[in-house]
Amino acid sequence: MSTHAETFRALHHAERPLVLPNAWDHASAAVLAAAGFAAIGTTSLGVAAAAGKPDATGDTAAETLALAARLAGLPCPVSVDIEGGFADTPEGVAEIAAGLAALGVAGVNIEDGRPDGTLADLGERCETIAAVKARAPELFVNARTDTYWLGAGDLRATIARLRAFAEAGADGVFVPGVAADDDVRALVDAADLPLNVLFLPGRHTVAGLGALGVRRISTGSLLLRAALHAVAETARAVAGGGDVPAGLPSYADVQALATADADWVLDQS
């Protein structure tokens, strides 16, 4: 098992939950690594938006794999969101996952939501997880169910899916959209694997989720959306004579990101 893969697995069993920020290109990932985050994930919405494509349609395989190849050189573990797997068969998904592992990617996120708002067949998803683990046993497979995200299942249905994913060989489970403390606690108790929750601003805190037993907290598309907001607001400030935010990275700082040599850290206060 590669060092990054070992490190990434261990981060799911540390004293504090793993806060996994999600990037959409090399610069956003490199700046997060420079800011001191222990691992980086990708966001499928961000990758799709950067390519001018809709999210969750399976149409960004080429962009996602190309990004993974660029991010593999970062000095921290990287997990890649491969949506439903970018292939029609478990064997096809496993082939893609094995290619990512060969690049040095530490983990993958595989979801069961489909573009039409329904959930993929549970048996097929379990076959896919098992196939990936057979081809790339070192990869941390984070199996995502969209029961809450799509409003396609209740707590009982979610637990059933998580347990099936665990039996199929998943290393962690992800339930985006879950918010209520009682539901989060029930999922932690039932899953018997590290539970990943999507951070919901105004609803969650890292400390609060950690106290409930959550082991991984993703930002999803939050950082992308914040960046787009900052782009528009800064442009408006320039055009309207307003104040441009202080403390922005310099030209040289951004140049350094291209070789992952950045030694500056964004103000995290």
Side-chain angles (χ1 to χ4, degrees):
M1 185 179 293
S2 71
T3 300
H4 277 340
E6 291 176 347
T7 299
F8 191 59
R9 190 173 299 277
L11 287 169
H12 291 78
H13 301 279
E15 183 177 345
R16 286 173 51 83
L18 168 63
V19 176
L20 189 73
N22 298 92
W24 57 94
D25 60 12
H26 183 273
S28 58
V31 79
L32 290 166
F37 286 93
I40 309 296
T42 66
T43 163
S44 64
L45 175 62
V47 174
K53 295 180 177 180
D55 183 31
T57 63
D59 194 31
T60 58
E63 290 86 354
T64 299
L65 299 179
L67 176 60
R70 292 193 293 271
L71 300 191
L74 291 176
C76 65
V78 172
S79 181
V80 176
D81 185 343
I82 58 173
E83 298 185 10
F86 296 136
D88 295 329
T89 65
E91 295 75 19
V93 177
E95 182 71 20
I96 289 171
L100 290 170
L103 290 173
V105 168
V108 291
N109 195 77
I110 303 176
E111 64 195 42
D112 63 3
R114 300 198 293 194
D116 64 0
T118 63
L119 299 179
D121 177 75
L122 180 57
E124 183 276 332
R125 288 290 83 185
C126 290
E127 288 179 22
T128 296
I129 292 166
V132 169
K133 291 302 295 183
R135 284 291 306 275
E138 69 275 26
L139 269 183
F140 189 100
V141 174
N142 199 43
R144 164 178 159 173
T145 183
D146 285 333
T147 47
Y148 280 77
W149 192 248
L150 298 175
D154 59 10
L155 177 62
R156 181 176 297 181
T158 303
I159 289 173
R161 284 189 169 251
L162 298 190
R163 287 176 170 167
F165 293 162
E167 188 173 344
D171 301 287
V173 288
F174 183 20
V175 186
V178 62
D181 287 359
D182 287 347
D183 284 6
V184 172
R185 189 179 293 106
L187 294 175
V188 168
D189 291 343
D192 200 30
L193 285 176
L195 178 67
N196 183 187
V197 168
L198 180 68
F199 182 81
L200 301 176
R203 185 64 179 85
H204 292 150
T205 65
V206 171
L209 289 173
L212 293 173
V214 173
R215 304 313 311 149
R216 171 167 157 178
I217 301 167
S218 298
T219 61
S221 66
L222 175 63
L223 303 184
L224 166 74
R225 293 181 284 113
L228 294 177
H229 176 74
V231 166
E233 289 301 299
T234 303
R236 288 192 186 104
V238 171
D243 294 330
V244 173
L248 298 179
S250 69
Y251 179 93
D253 291 332
V254 178
Q255 280 283 76
L257 293 175
T259 55
D261 288 335
D263 57 5
W264 55 283
V265 178
L266 291 179
D267 181 5
Q268 298 182 58
S269 63

